[in-house]
Amino acid sequence: MSIQAERQYGYFDDAHREYVITEPKTPYPWINYLGDTAFFSLLSNTGGGYSFYKDAKFRRLTRYRYNNVPVDTGGKYFYIKDGDVAWSPGWKPMRTPLDKYECRHGMGYSRITGEKNGLRSSVLFFVPRNEDIEIQQMTLTNLSDEIKTIKVFSLVEWCLWNAEDDMTNFQRNFSTGQVEVKDSVIYHKTEYRERRNHYAFYSVNQKVDGFDTDRDGFLGEHNGFDTPAVVDKGESNYSIAHGWSPVASHYLEIILAPGEVKELIFTLGYVEMPEDQKWEEPGIINKSKARDMIDRFNSVDQVHLAFRELKDYWDHLLNKYIVTTDDPRLNRGVNIWNQYQNMVTFNMSRSASYFESGIGRGMGFRDSNQDLIGFVHLVPERARQRILDIAATQFEDGSAYHQYQPLTKRGNAAIGGNFNDDPMWLVQAVTVYLKETGDFSILDESVPFDNDENNCATLFEHLGRSFNFVTRNLGEHGLPLIGRADWNDCLNLNCFSMEPNESFQTTENREGGRAESVMIAGQFVLFGNDYVELCRYRDQHEEAERASGHIDAMIEAIKKHGWDGEWFLRAYDAFGKKIGTHEAEESKIFIESQGFCTMAGVGLKEGLVSKSLDSVNKYLACDYGIVLNYPAFTRYYVEYGEISTYPQGYKENGGIFCHNNPWIMIGETVQGNGDRAFEYYTKIAPAYQDDKVRLHKTEPYVYAQMIAGKEAATPGQAKNSWLTGTAAWNYVAITQAILGIKPQYDGLQVDPCIPKAWTHYSVVRQFRDVTYHIDIFNPKSVSKGVTSVVVDGEPITGNILPMFEPGTEHRVTVTMG
Ligand code: BGC
Ligand code: NOJ
């Protein structure tokens, strides 16, 4: 790879944990996320994006038009007028060529800098910890040797809260918009007079020279964001919005001596008021809370402090797992970007990204359970709460709502349930949480079914319900019924849709639902074994025996009815016909059942695992990763559903669905093949794609859900970046299965499965408040096997590190052989 190719658009700055974008015209908007608890923003490298409070559908603060032309139009915009030249520091929206441009995306913040004609504007965007506010700190520097008198205009467009309604219900919305302006603060109060107890504000810490709050007032009736009439004219219109589209724009005149630096602090905030304190006087909103918030970030010192806190927070989080190898790409993937993406997927599930509109999907039951496995070591307390929220959307019979809204935390009735893989993901999330934290008290928490506080059971009981759901819903081959779909939402075996307006996922035109899933069978064995281990650990031996019996039966069913000779079958369709078999014309082999059955070690002794994985290597692996199925479907199969609607090589039809690649990596480690496991890791890990940035298109620092597969028209092109279970699963694959640092109930286990050529690496791991400095040596060039473990100078038996007093640090030397 040439340095030029690597640096065409930007580069990694590992010391600062930043990706530095040096060219605004990236192949697709390259975004970042601000905020980590309640107030969130999506921000692109040119200032595009929007903010919301908790829920991108029900509490959207600023407007954003998805799939706009040109792409990524709308955001947090600034305009600078310097003489006759007007420009934007993020290049957009004005797109005036800049003398210099840089966007640094870091951990929870972005800094976008532009330079033009001897003036530099650098805007730092971030959301302070535990605050419902976005800071935009603009630093203006006069680099010329002349005095400059410049005009600065800000702009955000308000969203009328419910993002779906906002983009559809124009007959009403064009009459409801309301604002107030007081000093330098513009308040958005649409619907506050009736059922809403919340408003937003946009402020600047200096007396303004003008403002606008009506979109046409700012842009002019026929202009876009790139040609605002106000900027052209060089002064505000002082417009007050009544309906139509409210915006917030400040106008400031700034004089800068040569070399002078000036700072402006803009804040975009969200405020909730108690019902009885909503008004200052009739019709005038109570601004006290907003004022307090603004006052907290009024000075550069306050902002610095808040920014420092954010940086410290990320230092604290990322100190929990640090690997050091000779390979900087591996280090940066594991130590920085993968964990960062884990935080984002934990927060967003699949709700809001540049590919997820924020109105379509809330928190997915299966998605959020899986996101948690890459996040739990970062903030275990939040993982705990999430588990309880998710479990509360489970039904008494162990099945679950497929999604819930983050604002209400209630199951989404429009989507419903019957995705039969859902229940067992809860078992995975809970056992992973327990192994990380040792906090068994969570199992005794009383958790509702279907959010009904009057119908609760312990969390442990919920796990039993998950397990029993599978055993009670077996098909004629003794394999689990698939329901609407399993992990693969597009394998809709009971749908039979010929009606374009039907949802593949929620329509079941075929009564009876005979179809069975080998993927759920493997999942049941894998996580079922975790359930058994937990029962034994809690001395519930009878339950453990009962569960083991079911697992043994499932293993037999897989061997008997789920094996095709060279690989695992994928499913049985509604007619009892095999799917994913060499007998088929298309889609002879699928990845999911290979992943789950090999991770679960089904038929390991009989050689099924190695045969299955060899077949994956032979038929599914390609230069860009491992495709989902092969050969891809070339026509619509009504009996298979959405999977066969995608053109070959995309999404679930022959795309590289990155989420399930780590299942194969982990499967390879089950049979000790560290070379192959790691090779698969490098095929999709973002840090290793630096020679393919143009082709790839999406952000080079995060995983995308899908990379077009070998049969696609555009192999190697990625889509759906950020919100994908790929992040969590790859993190588990690399940190646990490959690098081998595995939390267990009794301590941290060291059990690497690495490429034979590696001779040494080290890991610093904080586990239950103890810091382990682990050095791993591989003198005999093996992939797997630990011959000695020395802790603080003393050899120990086995490879589980002892537990110590919280707050202590310990040195561990591990020798493989
Ligand atoms: C996509 C799936 C997704 C599903 C659920 C489908 O169109 O292909 O990846 O899981 O929608 O919303
Ligand atoms: C994306 C969905 O969010 C996830 O739940 C599903 O498992 C995959 N697509 C595969 O269909």
Side-chain angles (χ1 to χ4, degrees):
M1 157 225 19
S2 73
I3 292 290
Q4 221 176 352
E6 186 187 347
R7 297 212 160 185
Q8 191 179 358
Y9 299 99
Y11 59 94
F12 289 97
D13 177 349
D14 294 341
H16 294 100
R17 298 189 181 126
E18 291 172 338
Y19 189 86
V20 187
I21 303 166
T22 50
E23 160 61 59
K25 294 182 215 169
T26 47
Y28 201 72
W30 286 358
I31 74 164
N32 195 9
Y33 285 82
L34 317 179
D36 62 39
T37 34
F39 188 108
F40 295 105
S41 304
L42 282 69
L43 183 72
S44 77
N45 58 308
T46 54
Y50 61 95
S51 298
F52 61 93
Y53 176 77
K54 284 191 182 171
D55 194 313
K57 177 176 178 179
F58 290 130
R59 284 284 192 287
R60 193 163 312 184
L61 268 61
T62 59
R63 200 174 260 171
Y64 185 75
R65 290 169 189 77
Y66 275 90
N67 204 7
N68 208 343
V69 181
V71 70
D72 194 28
T73 299
K76 316 287 177 53
Y77 284 154
F78 291 102
Y79 303 84
I80 292 176
K81 197 157 187 196
D82 180 7
D84 289 339
V85 182
W87 53 283
S88 300
W91 183 60
K92 274 187 179 178
M94 295 222 72
R95 292 188 290 165
T96 308
L98 299 175
D99 298 338
K100 230 170 155 184
Y101 158 90
E102 186 186 86
C103 168
R104 289 180 169 260
H105 284 321
M107 308 286 104
Y109 68 91
S110 295
R111 189 190 297 274
I112 305 181
T113 305
E115 262 179 50
K116 182 82 185 170
N117 297 342
L119 180 71
R120 179 192 299 147
S121 160
S122 188
V123 186
L124 170 68
F125 298 79
F126 72 102
V127 174
R129 299 265 314 122
N130 305 314
E131 296 277 357
D132 298 330
I133 201 166
E134 176 185 303
I135 309 280
Q136 304 164 350
Q137 181 191 5
M138 175 183 270
T139 309
L140 293 161
T141 311
N142 183 355
L143 304 167
S144 79
D145 43 21
E146 279 160 24
I147 296 185
K148 277 186 183 284
T149 304
I150 59 159
K151 299 172 177 204
V152 175
F153 298 86
S154 65
L155 179 71
V156 298
E157 187 179 3
W158 298 117
C159 179
L160 309 191
W161 306 116
N162 179 327
E164 187 175 30
D165 191 71
D166 183 67
M167 61 196 293
T168 47
N169 194 6
F170 307 111
Q171 62 80 25
R172 168 179 160 84
N173 296 341
F174 284 170
S175 293
T176 56
Q178 285 191 299
V179 298
E180 271 181 44
V181 182
K182 178 93 201 296
D183 305 326
S184 297
V185 191
I186 297 161
Y187 296 88
H188 176 226
K189 62 170 185 179
T190 302
E191 292 188 344
Y192 188 72
R193 56 184 272 154
E194 18 106 10
R195 295 165 299 172
R196 292 187 183 276
N197 291 5
H198 52 87
Y199 62 81
F201 63 85
Y202 191 34
S203 146
V204 62
N205 69 336
Q206 189 171 314
K207 192 171 174 313
V208 293
D209 295 295
F211 64 83
D212 274 286
T213 71
D214 176 67
R215 195 177 70 206
D216 283 355
F218 180 77
L219 296 178
E221 278 176 357
H222 300 284
N223 302 348
F225 291 120
D226 55 346
T227 49
V230 155
V231 176
D232 191 37
K233 192 169 72 165
E235 60 181 288
S236 292
N237 270 332
Y238 301 91
S239 57
I240 294 289
H242 299 283
W244 297 112
S245 289
V247 299
S249 168
H250 308 97
Y251 159 48
L252 299 125
E253 248 182 55
I254 313 270
I255 301 174
L256 289 159
E260 191 178 355
V261 179
K262 275 199 177 154
E263 308 267 3
L264 297 174
I265 300 164
F266 296 85
T267 50
L268 174 71
Y270 170 85
V271 175
E272 283 181 355
M273 294 301 292
E275 181 69 35
D276 59 350
Q277 293 169 35
K278 280 174 75 171
W279 306 102
E280 212 164 273
E281 52 187 84
I284 305 292
I285 60 178
N286 181 347
K287 305 179 180 66
S288 55
K289 256 194 176 176
R291 279 269 32 124
D292 285 352
M293 287 166 76
I294 293 167
D295 287 348
R296 282 205 290 282
F297 303 102
N298 225 16
S299 70
V300 170
D301 285 350
Q302 289 167 311
V303 169
H304 276 172
L305 201 67
F307 187 53
R308 193 62 266 159
E309 268 177 30
L310 179 68
K311 292 272 241 185
D312 289 349
Y313 182 63
W314 274 100
D315 284 349
H316 151 79
L317 294 179
L318 296 180
N319 278 342
K320 298 192 176 198
Y321 193 119
I322 301 175
V323 65
T324 307
T325 68
D326 303 336
D327 180 352
R329 291 158 156 180
L330 178 56
N331 303 347
R332 89 169 46 114
V334 173
N335 298 341
I336 306 173
W337 291 98
N338 198 164
Q339 297 195 65
Y340 185 59
Q341 189 175 3
N342 291 346
M343 167 69 89
V344 172
T345 55
F346 178 85
N347 287 332
M348 300 289 134
S349 197
R350 304 297 166 267
S351 64
S353 74
Y354 265 29
F355 297 87
E356 301 280 7
S357 65
I359 59 179
R361 303 207 267 169
M363 311 296 283
F365 190 94
R366 79 157 81 88
D367 297 322
S368 292
N369 274 313
Q370 291 172 84
D371 293 340
L372 193 138
I373 67 172
F375 173 83
V376 63
H377 69 292
L378 291 174
V379 196
E381 313 78 59
R382 291 190 66 201
R384 187 182 206 276
Q385 186 56 50
R386 176 63 53 76
I387 286 173
L388 299 175
D389 291 344
I390 295 174
T393 64
Q394 191 174 27
F395 296 105
E396 269 186 284
D397 72 349
S399 67
Y401 276 113
H402 197 48
Q403 286 169 18
Y404 71 94
Q405 275 311 124
L407 196 68
T408 60
K409 296 188 175 176
R410 299 192 79 86
N412 183 342
I415 310 279
N418 292 342
F419 295 79
N420 286 357
D421 63 314
D422 273 337
M424 288 305 285
W425 297 113
L426 182 65
V427 176
Q428 180 193 29
V430 173
T431 51
V432 164
Y433 170 80
L434 292 171
K435 288 182 179 176
E436 177 68 35
T437 61
D439 165 28
F440 285 86
S441 72
I442 193 174
L443 294 175
D444 303 323
E445 291 280 351
S446 166
V447 183
F449 291 110
D450 191 7
N451 299 109
D452 177 0
E453 293 294 338
N454 298 318
N455 184 13
C456 295
T458 62
L459 181 66
F460 185 71
E461 172 67 25
H462 277 258
L463 300 187
R465 302 281 173 108
S466 285
F467 187 92
N468 295 342
F469 177 84
V470 180
T471 60
R472 274 205 323 272
N473 288 281
L474 298 178
E476 59 211 65
H477 299 94
L479 299 166
L481 293 171
I482 199 167
R484 286 176 172 178
D486 60 23
W487 172 89
N488 189 332
D489 270 334
C490 297
L491 200 59
N492 317 117
L493 304 182
N494 300 310
C495 177
F496 290 83
S497 181
M498 290 304 284
E499 157 59 55
N501 292 322
E502 273 172 2
S503 152
F504 279 106
Q505 272 95 47
T506 57
T507 307
E508 283 166 281
N509 290 324
R510 184 65 53 124
E511 298 277 306
R514 263 175 83 188
E516 292 162 276
S517 163
V518 179
M519 180 252 150
I520 303 181
Q523 184 205 27
F524 177 76
V525 176
L526 184 67
F527 303 147
N529 277 327
D530 291 336
Y531 178 67
V532 170
E533 187 190 15
L534 174 63
C535 292
R536 295 222 165 99
Y537 197 77
R538 300 191 89 208
D539 286 334
Q540 287 175 280
H541 295 288
E542 222 172 277
E543 175 64 355
E545 287 316 304
R546 182 190 76 87
S548 284
H550 287 292
I551 294 168
D552 291 344
M554 189 68 77
I555 292 172
E556 285 318 302
I558 297 175
K559 286 185 191 162
K560 191 155 172 219
H561 299 294
W563 181 249
D564 192 54
E566 298 291 319
W567 55 78
F568 293 99
L569 293 173
R570 178 63 179 84
Y572 283 91
D573 70 13
F575 310 105
K577 252 182 71 207
K578 294 176 198 166
I579 300 181
T581 162
H582 69 283
E583 294 157 23
E585 265 172 50
E586 302 192 321
S587 291
K588 292 168 184 286
I589 170 168
F590 285 72
I591 196 170
E592 302 97 322
S593 43
Q594 319 311 320
F596 269 92
C597 294
T598 61
M599 284 194 288
V602 175
L604 183 67
K605 276 194 231 98
E606 300 93 321
L608 304 196
V609 168
S610 76
K611 273 191 194 155
S612 157
L613 291 170
D614 285 348
S615 298
V616 168
N617 193 255
K618 191 161 159 197
Y619 300 110
L620 300 180
C622 75
D623 279 354
Y624 306 104
I626 312 170
V627 299
L628 190 147
N629 53 315
Y630 184 81
F633 294 111
T634 59
R635 63 174 178 84
Y636 179 47
Y637 291 75
V638 68
E639 68 275 33
Y640 298 159
E642 186 172 358
I643 189 168
S644 60
T645 66
Y646 285 115
Q648 297 96 280
Y650 296 95
K651 290 281 282 180
E652 279 88 342
N653 187 23
I656 296 154
F657 220 93
C658 299
H659 186 144
N660 48 36
N661 280 217
W663 300 345
I664 300 298
M665 297 168 205
I666 298 171
E668 289 287 359
T669 66
V670 168
Q671 61 162 359
N673 197 340
D675 282 292
R676 242 203 224 154
F678 188 69
E679 191 194 326
Y680 288 144
Y681 174 79
T682 62
K683 290 279 191 243
I684 62 166
Y688 290 83
Q689 312 311 317
D690 37 18
D691 58 339
K692 304 193 192 79
V693 169
R694 180 81 193 94
L695 168 68
H696 206 74
K697 259 176 117 77
T698 58
E699 295 89 338
Y701 37 91
V702 291
Y703 284 100
Q705 179 204 62
M706 196 259 325
I707 299 171
K710 55 184 174 175
E711 293 180 271
T714 56
Q717 188 181 82
K719 288 183 190 135
N720 301 359
S721 53
W722 284 99
L723 302 188
T724 162
T726 309
W729 271 103
N730 270 281
Y731 188 71
V732 170
I734 187 69
T735 60
Q736 299 192 22
I738 298 175
L739 297 171
I741 312 299
K742 303 179 181 172
Q744 303 291 2
Y745 292 124
D746 286 327
L748 203 54
Q749 185 183 29
V750 185
D751 179 25
C753 183
I754 56 174
K756 293 189 197 68
W758 289 11
T759 51
H760 168 250
Y761 63 99
S762 63
V763 174
V764 181
R765 175 68 152 95
Q766 290 175 8
F767 178 70
R768 302 191 199 167
D769 293 328
V770 174
T771 306
Y772 297 89
H773 298 261
I774 308 166
D775 266 296
I776 296 160
F777 295 94
N778 185 21
K780 299 218 172 97
S781 301
V782 299
S783 274
K784 205 175 163 87
V786 165
T787 51
S788 85
V789 179
V790 178
V791 180
D792 296 331
E794 297 290 323
I796 63 161
T797 315
N799 61 355
I800 298 193
L801 307 181
M803 300 210 269
F804 294 100
E805 279 295 300
T808 57
E809 303 212 4
H810 303 274
R811 305 235 143 243
V812 181
T813 307
V814 176
T815 308
M816 297 175 66

